[in-house]
Amino acid sequence: MMILSRVHLDQMLTHAASSAAEVCGVLVGRRRPSLVVGSVIAGANLHPTPDRHFLLDAATLLRADAEARVVGHTIVGFYHSHPRSAAVPSPVDRHESWPDHLMIIIGTTQGGARYACGWLVGQDGVVHPAPIQVETR
């Protein structure tokens, strides 16, 4: 299970709502004693077909790593959106994900509402659901 603040969830949902293309970003936090997302850093999607895929810009990844180290945190995962589909990892998502890192996918319902689902990729490459506990404080 991951712990995520309402502010960070809203940040990702707002980012996803800002574009008809896929959006992406980095999740920074700590893994122990619980997996807690401490900050969300929005990135740019540099993929040549951003309406169906994403490629996080390297500058955001480097900035996220530097910011994490300053406060004793680490990159715990990534998020991206599926603007026209469910928040389920695609074959490409599964192939390109980092083992032992979170993947939050922002999905879109037929009515346009956005929602988030968490996934954790094991060392074996198998993707497992990762429940999200949203804290309002």
Side-chain angles (χ1 to χ4, degrees):
M1 175 181 305
M2 76 181 88
I3 300 170
L4 180 69
S5 75
R6 181 76 217 182
V7 170
H8 293 134
L9 176 60
D10 288 344
Q11 183 181 348
M12 290 183 287
L13 292 171
T14 300
H15 188 198
S18 72
S19 176
E22 289 197 16
V23 300
C24 53
V26 183
L27 307 170
V28 171
R30 60 179 163 74
R31 297 181 182 279
R32 306 273 186 275
S34 298
L35 206 157
V36 178
V37 175
S39 63
V40 172
I41 301 170
N45 181 354
L46 301 180
H47 199 281
T49 56
D51 56 321
R52 292 182 319 214
H53 301 286
F54 76 96
L55 175 62
L56 178 69
D57 66 295
T60 297
L61 185 59
L62 292 171
R63 182 170 53 98
D65 184 57
E67 288 179 17
R69 289 171 188 265
V70 167
V71 295
H73 286 179
T74 187
I75 292 173
V76 295
F78 301 90
Y79 75 91
H80 71 280
S81 64
H82 285 180
R84 285 169 291 291
S85 64
V88 177
S90 69
V92 172
D93 294 338
R94 291 170 185 269
H95 177 74
E96 294 182 353
S97 58
W98 288 15
D100 291 331
H101 283 73
L102 292 170
M103 177 180 4
I104 295 179
I105 300 176
I106 309 299
T108 307
T109 66
Q110 288 183 343
R114 288 179 173 74
Y115 62 96
C117 289
W119 306 90
L120 185 61
V121 183
Q123 281 291 332
D124 56 3
V126 175
V127 178
H128 303 277
I132 301 171
Q133 177 181 324
V134 178
E135 295 191 342
T136 57
R137 52 184 163 129

